[in-house]
Amino acid sequence: MKVPSSSWHPLRWVYDLSQVWRDTRQIVLVAQIAAIYAAILIPFKVGIPLIPGFAELRPANAIPIVASLLFGPAAAWGAGIGNMIADCFGTLGPASLFGFFGNFLLGYVPYLLWGNMGPLSSGEEPIVKSWRQGLEFVVVCLVASCICAATIGWGVELLGLLPFVLLAPLIFFNNVIMGLLLGPPLLLFLYPRVKRWGLRYVDLRSSGKFPGLRSDTQILADPSDQQTFGQEAIRDEPFISVRDLTFRYKDAERPVLSQLSLEINQGESVVLMGRSGSGKSTLCYAMNGLIPQFVAGQFSGSVKVDGKDSTRRHVWEQAGTVGMVFQDFETQLISTNVERELRYPLENGDPSLRPQDPETMTRRIQGTLRLVGLTGLEQRDPLTLSGGQRQRLVVGSVLVQEPAVVVMDQPMTDLDPAGRKRLIQLLHRLRREGMTLVLAEHDSEEALWADRICLLDQGKVAWAGPPRDLLGQPALATKYGIRPFPLAQCFSGLDLPTLPATVEEAWQLADEHGLRVDPPPELGPVQSHQKESKGSPLQGTSGFRLEQVSFVYEGGLQALKNFSVSVSEGEFVAVLGENGSGKSTFAKLLNGLLLPTEGRVLVEELDTKTASMSQLASLVGHVFQNPDHQIFAETVWNEVAFGPQNMGCPPEECQQRVAAALEAVGLCGAGEQDPFSLTKGERQRVAVASVLAARPRILIFDEPTTGLDAEESRRMMEMIKQFNRQGHTIIMITHTMWLAAEYATRCLLMKDGQLIGDGPTRGIFSDSALVESASLEVPALSRFTQRWGHTLLTVEEVRASLKRS
């Protein structure tokens, strides 16, 4: 049936309203609108008026009008359902049915009216910036409010509860007053963001040609391909076949993928590598249809998995074949405990892949929990897990479906060394069982297990081969923005037939070619210092200290136990420990985000329990692991200026601070850009600048290189090192041991909320047993050199010390 293009045609209404329930994104919008609307309505439903005597004066009634202009039919369903939910808390009855329809229309009529009222229409976007837009908004608000009030008033009178002349005017005037008062500012705030993020109904609406395909996505198909949806033939070809794939994001100047071709056989494991922006994530999203079905842009070429074209099947249908773990994995968590998180995809996925009985489902869930190391945490809320534990939970939610292909976008980023080792062991097992694996990664050391590495550059596959072939070419890795194998770097230039990947291989190579480690005098003392690793905390006149601090989260989870430490001004301290050891809790205690359950936290002699947030913000800056949890403003300048403005800085000083902070992070000239339009590395620098603008003496960086490529990581760490040279105290929380070895002068080693090691970095790393007791690993370079009684920390130190016997 051909869908009418006119917004006034009833068949168009039926089509739009039914399409909401065929698009996951719109269903989520319905749920969010309903939840927000209900949450604001509930107090008034139980009899708490905004103004005494005016129970119908409800600010929530502006939401359906605003949401309608943004989200169209999704707002109609959300408003109707939200009102029904609110009725359950005080006014549920037969009249609730008419309340549903009235609010449904309040959330649908504005969408129908805007731009379709002839001379009364402004011909512009649904936002009040001109008098014509203002006039159109007033008319829309009046008409929608009248229809809503008439529907509810007529229904309530029909039931014999209240006369129409009493109730309808009350509802009408409430909708109009609240709509006109709150609607324009809400639209001014929300519309630019909703448009930028592609969440408007016009952006989400299906085109009708392909399932779930955005109307602003263009597929340049081969005219000779006459297959129709649902009739794909399985051909004799590789399990995953990518041919001439080109994709350009909406509003992007150039394609991120350009004529890329790649074939992956069933059971093969492939790691995609390359600098940020090379197209790794884009290629991953194309394998299960997220691109082009959910992401706007221009798409050409083909991506086929098991002979089926990714553009011709619903994403939910492909999820059972191609499981996906996003780089921002937390967006995949939806349930209230670990067990339900794994049960949800089994109960709501493809029915043909669903376990037939509860016992099978339970066995599969328990087996998956063992695989990802989360046994015993079945009833824990995912939000109470550490970052690494949450990431393993997401991996489990994919594996529990037993897909033929697992695609993971940088799955190692938030895992501690023990977690990485466990995941690599799991990948080995999955490969032995015949599962096809595709991973996007930045770190070459995490790719040794794979069958093949594909280096992406400028949207194409620039190099492909076994990991061992890349191992012997450090210059090639550097050329494409990848950190070379560190041990291979140390031995390169020595005219050896092979280069080592592991410590054992390096020892063997040293023996075969008469090499030993003998540091030159200019390196200073580099021998092991086991005693220093358990030394007493350093004392200083400034900085911060924790005195017998314990912290217990709601629910009884103890994150810190009798924790005492002192850090002096100007130190560069790495905080190390496995996931869940209390590192992030420790950091949040320093700036008052958390207050100790027992003990004291003193920052420059200020007790965090009594100090104001502005005082602590001027002393301690915290850069979160995920910059998107920190950034909120519409422009980079506003983001960086937020701290100084809230500290009461005069406009001139605020301007100076913002300019200085942006210059420090290398983002001069980016002030007017939307921070969410920047790359991950640039967003990380925006977060750093927003902290620097407050000019704190202590800077906390939680996993500062997460998700960054080798070049971005080096830039970030050199910037942090420069801050330390300028006198800032640096606290760096990291799982990346080589970062601590190369940059930190002191390490705090944590386990189960307690401090088990504290001392100079070289001293901590010289005590392998201590490091391993914290479920960490001494860096490969240090392990290699300890055979000769030295603990070296960097490639430069090892290269300077390698000599022939």
Side-chain angles (χ1 to χ4, degrees), residues 682-708:
E682 290 169 334
R683 295 200 304 278
Q684 193 90 315
R685 283 188 276 155
V686 170
V688 173
S690 69
V691 168
L692 288 178
R695 297 186 177 173
R697 295 187 183 93
I698 301 169
L699 294 174
I700 303 171
F701 295 90
D702 194 348
E703 296 289 356
T705 62
T706 294
L708 304 185

Side-chain angles (χ1 to χ4, degrees), residues 334-392:
I334 58 173
S335 294
T336 55
N337 68 36
V338 169
E339 191 270 341
R340 288 177 187 150
E341 192 71 45
L342 299 188
R343 187 174 295 276
Y344 181 85
L346 297 180
E347 293 179 337
N348 297 278
D350 189 339
S352 65
L353 303 176
R354 191 176 302 164
Q356 298 301 311
D357 58 88
E359 291 77 14
T360 302
M361 186 177 295
T362 300
R363 282 197 301 271
R364 190 184 291 186
I365 291 171
Q366 291 301 319
T368 302
L369 288 171
R370 286 192 296 273
L371 275 176
V372 298
L374 294 177
T375 301
L377 302 179
E378 288 86 348
Q379 301 308 311
R380 281 277 296 275
D381 184 338
L383 296 181
T384 68
L385 301 176
S386 69
Q389 289 171 327
R390 290 197 296 271
Q391 189 171 42
R392 280 185 277 152

Side-chain angles (χ1 to χ4, degrees), residues 268-282:
E268 188 179 12
S269 55
V270 174
V271 175
L272 307 174
M273 304 189 76
R275 56 175 53 87
S276 296
S278 60
K280 302 185 299 296
S281 296
T282 303

